[in-house]
Amino acid sequence: MLPEQVITLPTPRLSGAVSVEEAIGTRRSIRSFDRRKLSWEQIGQLAWAAQGITGDDRRWRVAPSAGALHPLELYVLFSDSSYHYDPVTHSLRFHQTVDLSEVADAALKQPFIAQAACVFAFSGRVTLTAKVYGERALRYVCMDLGHAAQNLLLQAAALGLAGTPVGAFDDAALRFALKLSPGDEPLYLVPVGYPK
Ligand SMILES: Cc1cc2nc3c(=O)[nH]c(=O)nc-3n(C[C@H](O)[C@H](O)[C@H](O)COP(=O)(O)O)c2cc1C
C-alpha cells in the first residue's frame, strides 16, 4: 500500500490539564515503551510543540531561534516511513521509506528507539544560520535545538507520554538511514511512546 502523501494534522490545543510546572517536574527519560500507537492529535501536538508557528508569519514559533532563522527541520518516523513536518500548514508530508531498526543501529545500537510509537528526528541547516552568524552558527543551531527539543519533551510529559532525547549516533549512518539531503545535518532523535 502506498503511504499517504500529506497528512493534515488536527489543530493543536492551546490549553491542557497539566501545568507547565507539573510537566517540568514529571519529565523523565524513559526507554521502555508499550505497543500502543499515538493518535494524530498527539502526534500533531508534539510536532507543534517542537516547531509550530505562533505568530503572523513563519518566523514566530513556539521555540526561540537565533535571528528567527529557524534552521531546524523536523521529521516524524514510523515503523516503515518518515514524514517531514511543515509548520506552515501543520501537516506531515511523506519523505522516505525508513527502517526504524536501521535508525536504532545508527544510534550506536540503542534498540529502544525502534520500539517507540514514533521517533521525532531533528535535523538542521547550519549554513542557513552561518549566513548571518558565521562561525557562531553551530553553537546557535544547537541552542535552537535545545529549546525545541525541550518543548517536545515537556509536551510529551504533559500528555502522559515518555520521550528520551538521543544524541549518540554515527552522523553518516543516521544521515543515510533518514535519507537526508546534503546540508541537512542529523542532530537529535526523540523516540516517543506510552511508558511501559
Ligand atoms: C545531549 C543529550 C544526548 C543524550 N543522548 C542520549 C542517548 O543517546 N541515549 C539515551 O538513552 N539517552 C540520552 N540522553 C538522555 C540522558 O541520558 C538523560 O537526560 C539523563 O540520564 C538524565 O535523565 P533525565 O532526562 O530523566 O533527567 C541524552 C541527553 C542529552 C541532553
Side-chain angles (χ1 to χ4, degrees):
M1 198 172 75
L2 283 173
E4 259 182 272
Q5 289 300 310
V6 178
I7 298 165
T8 302
L9 295 164
T11 305
R13 285 192 288 107
L14 296 179
S15 64
V18 176
S19 70
V20 68
E21 292 85 356
E22 284 176 88
I24 291 169
T26 56
R27 181 212 62 79
R28 189 90 288 142
S29 294
I30 296 171
R31 299 168 183 81
S32 128
F33 307 104
D34 80 15
R35 305 302 296 175
R36 267 180 291 169
K37 291 187 171 166
L38 304 191
S39 66
W40 290 120
E41 282 80 7
Q42 289 169 315
I43 292 164
Q45 194 70 32
L46 291 161
W48 173 82
Q51 277 296 281
I53 289 181
T54 48
D56 299 342
D57 67 48
R58 60 191 310 151
R59 287 184 304 156
W60 312 124
R61 299 201 189 177
V62 289
S65 170
L69 292 171
H70 297 290
L72 302 178
E73 300 292 341
L74 181 65
Y75 297 86
V76 187
L77 319 178
F78 301 100
S79 57
D80 58 359
S81 47
S82 70
Y83 286 79
H84 179 248
Y85 176 61
D86 179 355
V88 176
T89 56
H90 189 55
S91 64
L92 296 178
R93 181 174 290 275
F94 176 73
H95 175 63
Q96 291 284 357
T97 54
V98 289
D99 177 351
L100 266 195
S101 53
E102 190 186 345
V103 173
D105 280 354
L108 313 185
K109 300 199 188 301
Q110 300 188 67
F112 76 92
I113 294 168
Q115 284 143 25
C118 63
V119 178
F120 290 82
F122 288 94
S123 62
R125 298 178 190 278
V126 180
T127 49
L128 177 66
T129 299
K131 280 184 194 157
V132 179
Y133 296 109
E135 286 179 359
R136 293 182 72 77
L138 183 57
R139 181 190 299 226
Y140 281 0
V141 171
C142 291
M143 289 173 180
D144 285 16
L145 176 65
H147 293 298
Q150 182 72 355
N151 271 9
L152 172 55
L153 293 168
L154 291 179
Q155 180 70 77
L159 294 172
L161 300 170
T164 296
V166 170
F169 49 78
D170 179 292
D171 291 346
L174 187 60
R175 189 183 297 107
F176 185 78
L178 297 179
K179 300 177 177 142
L180 298 179
S181 53
D184 195 11
E185 296 301 323
L187 295 174
Y188 226 1
L189 298 170
V190 185
V192 177
Y194 282 94
K196 213 174 202 172

